[in-house]
Amino acid sequence: MKNVAVIGAGTMGNGIAHTFAQSGFKVQLIDINEASLKKGMETISKNLDRMVVKEKISEANKSDTLGNITTFTDISKGVENVGLVVEAATENVDLKLKIFNQLDDLCQEETILATNTSSISITQIAAVTSRPDKVIGMHFMNPVPIMKLVEIIRGYSTSDEATNTIMELSKTLGKIPTEVNDYPGFVANRILMPMINESIETLYNGVAGVSEIDTVMKLGMAHPMGPLQLADFIGLDVCLSILNVMYDGFKNPKYAPCPLLVNMVRAGKLGVKSGEGFYDYSQTRKAEKVASQFA
């Protein structure tokens, strides 16, 4: 179990790889896109630099962490000789089913297959493998190196042995694992996404503006970030995807995504990653681009 594969080098994937590598695991980071791997490794390096500046780790710790990560574009080579695979690909059910079917053929019989899905059924994912007892959810929170919670989700057939192994493993990462059962949205998003959706409905109905809604929730409810700002941070496309999974799973209108959210995603206004969502991040992105030219 000291050898771990992480599939996907995006925000969650590189954060998961960073966390395992910093805890002394050998990490095989896999992505079909070489540019994504390069960007993911650059992100890990920058995040480690921040930790060095804050004196949370030493330069030697940074070097060791980066040295623990090997990148692959070939999944068959990337999952060789690992005790655990953590899938952190795009939140798309068809893609995840395809990946897990492939992993089942490629991985050793005893390898545990985990998914970082934030809403998709673990039982459904496990059903495309011949090892449903070894398929489990590990829902990390963003940013992964900082956030302590890991939602551990048991599928219908997930074994006690696999669950206990992943619970203990999460603790070695310095995380606080919390076991939940396999229902749409699990716990975190079953509570969070309706709140975000209702905040968007409040804006859509003209009750208040963006900053006013966020101010009420930050000052009145002691939230560190307002729900609309948080939605931008998560990605409005991701929020929409999770709400659709919950709506399909429960068939309850309270989970139906707000029309404003649907239209914003259609228009490509996805939040921080696109430069605009409920807030405008274009100047920040321009500043980062200029700064990178002199780095």
Side-chain angles (χ1 to χ4, degrees), residues 36-88:
S36 294
L37 285 170
K38 182 181 178 182
K39 184 178 178 182
M41 291 302 298
E42 287 172 351
T43 298
I44 293 170
S45 184
K46 287 177 183 177
N47 288 337
L48 288 168
D49 283 338
R50 291 191 189 96
M51 297 177 80
V52 171
V53 169
K54 294 178 180 179
E55 299 184 342
K56 293 186 176 182
I57 63 171
S58 66
E59 282 287 354
N61 294 145
K62 174 191 171 182
S63 180
D64 289 344
T65 298
L66 292 173
N68 282 336
I69 305 173
T70 308
T71 60
F72 296 84
T73 54
D74 185 341
I75 190 172
S76 63
K77 290 184 171 62
V79 298
E80 284 181 354
N81 302 315
V82 297
L84 170 68
V85 179
V86 182
E87 171 273 319

Side-chain angles (χ1 to χ4, degrees), residues 19-36:
T19 300
F20 273 101
Q22 193 176 332
S23 298
F25 290 81
K26 296 296 183 183
V27 179
Q28 296 169 194
L29 179 60
I30 306 162
D31 200 294
I32 59 172
N33 190 315
E34 185 69 50
S36 294

